[in-house]
Amino acid sequence: MTRIAVVGPGSVGTFFAAHLAAAGRDVVACARRPFDEYVVDSKTAPVTTPARVLTDPISLDAPVDWVLVAVKAHQTAGAAPWLRRLCGEGTTVVAVQNGVEGEARLAPLVGSARVLAAVVYCGAELLSPGHIRHDSAGYLILPDQDASHRLAEIFVGTGAQVRISAAFADEAYRKLGINTVLNGITALTDRNISVLDQPDIREIGRGLLQECWAVGRAEGSTLTDDDIDPLLDAFAGNPGVTSMLQDRRAGRPTEHDALYGAVIRIGRRHGIPTPLHETFAALLAAGDPVPDGTSPR
């Protein structure tokens, strides 16, 4: 049987691990804290099923076929001991993370394994180890490659999905744009997504999308400014709370560098100015816990 590991069973990792386990797949969660059961509280994709969980990489006896890395981008280095044990020449590592730099971030940590980029849509919140509240979506978008089709087959018959896109750059930068608009604005205003209904806030969102998608076009995306208003309209009245707002309220570090930092870095590489992203990156970094773990506030 195909062996699958999920590194980082937080809100997103738990969703995918739970649905794989419920469908009888051979899946192990690699976690900091033990738990015995997956519980997904959801109106559309509920799951309660036993969980196999390991908390020490040394307990792994051999590499696995697939590794879904679902730790947040700034936690990736901490997953290195797991990846050393999980990865072999036949392993495919899937970057189940926000941002567009997952392949580059993971490649130095996985040896001879292959890294596959992914776009993640899964609205969920971790309530306790193995237990999440799921609100929306629950799928990965992968580039049109053989490995992607193999992973999609593994998810057939589960409550989660893998979708294949021949226009992966568009999907990657659409999601990056959504993240840079929703996450930073909600985290800095301490408001839910409906804050975008305010005309002045919507204009800031528009500016972020213009910058992000200009960078995306330099990387092969075809998204244009004509795509902005339909996207912003889709968030009208949305009461959702973003993951970055959850992190900010809990006093945890935010993944601002994987989002805003990525746009800034790629923009500089192509000579594209990104002043709004630079401003958001600085403000979000200033609000993160300082190295001794205390809040700057």
Side-chain angles (χ1 to χ4, degrees):
M1 181 181 289
T2 299
R3 300 179 70 197
I4 308 157
V6 176
V7 177
S11 57
V12 172
T14 292
F15 180 85
F16 290 100
H19 282 284
L20 287 166
R25 307 300 190 264
D26 182 359
V27 57
V28 60
C30 303
R32 291 179 298 172
R33 293 178 289 175
F35 55 93
D36 299 320
E37 185 178 55
Y38 295 114
V39 179
V40 178
D41 293 332
S42 174
K43 293 180 180 179
T44 58
V47 166
T48 300
T49 194
R52 180 183 169 222
V53 180
L54 298 178
T55 58
D56 188 341
I58 200 68
S59 58
L60 289 159
D61 57 1
V64 298
D65 302 293
W66 294 90
V67 180
L68 307 186
V69 178
V71 297
K72 292 195 174 182
H74 56 275
Q75 299 168 329
T76 301
W82 287 108
L83 294 172
R84 283 195 293 269
R85 300 285 294 187
L86 289 166
C87 294
E89 188 172 346
T91 304
T92 301
V93 178
V94 186
V96 185
Q97 298 178 310
N98 282 328
V100 293
E101 298 175 319
E103 288 177 275
R105 188 164 48 243
L106 286 166
L109 306 177
V110 302
S112 59
R114 171 185 181 170
V115 181
L116 187 63
V119 174
V120 188
Y121 284 94
C122 183
E125 180 180 3
L126 183 68
L127 302 178
S128 63
H131 184 188
I132 66 170
R133 178 170 54 238
H134 170 253
D135 298 314
S136 62
Y139 59 90
L140 305 176
I141 302 176
L142 302 180
D144 190 3
Q145 300 174 7
D146 288 345
S148 303
H149 288 275
R150 293 198 302 273
L151 186 61
E153 285 295 318
I154 293 170
F155 275 89
V156 170
T158 76
Q161 295 181 18
V162 169
R163 304 178 182 179
I164 310 298
S165 175
F168 186 74
D170 285 355
E171 299 291 352
Y173 279 92
R174 181 180 292 108
K175 179 63 188 299
L176 182 59
I178 290 171
N179 275 329
T180 60
V181 170
L182 300 187
N183 278 286
I185 286 176
T186 59
L188 292 174
T189 61
D190 196 26
R191 297 271 303 278
N192 65 29
I193 294 170
S194 66
V195 70
L196 281 165
D197 292 348
Q198 296 181 203
D200 53 348
I201 301 299
R202 181 184 172 109
E203 284 307 303
I204 295 172
R206 176 190 296 278
L208 287 164
L209 284 173
Q210 287 173 332
E211 288 183 7
C212 180
W213 289 355
V215 167
R217 287 192 293 275
E219 292 286 296
S221 168
T222 63
L223 296 170
T224 71
D225 289 357
D226 291 339
D227 300 304
I228 290 176
D229 279 328
L231 182 60
L232 293 175
D233 289 344
F235 296 113
N238 190 318
V241 175
T242 65
S243 61
M244 190 173 286
L245 178 54
Q246 293 172 25
D247 287 340
R248 177 54 56 89
R249 287 175 172 174
R252 296 186 293 260
T254 61
E255 55 181 351
H256 58 85
D257 185 66
L259 305 178
Y260 303 90
V263 174
I264 294 165
R265 285 186 287 274
I266 299 169
R268 287 175 179 166
R269 193 160 69 234
H270 292 286
I272 299 170
T274 56
L276 270 176
H277 284 78
E278 292 173 11
T279 299
F280 270 72
L283 291 172
L284 290 163
D288 268 7
V290 294
D292 66 2
T294 62
S295 169
R297 294 175 288 177

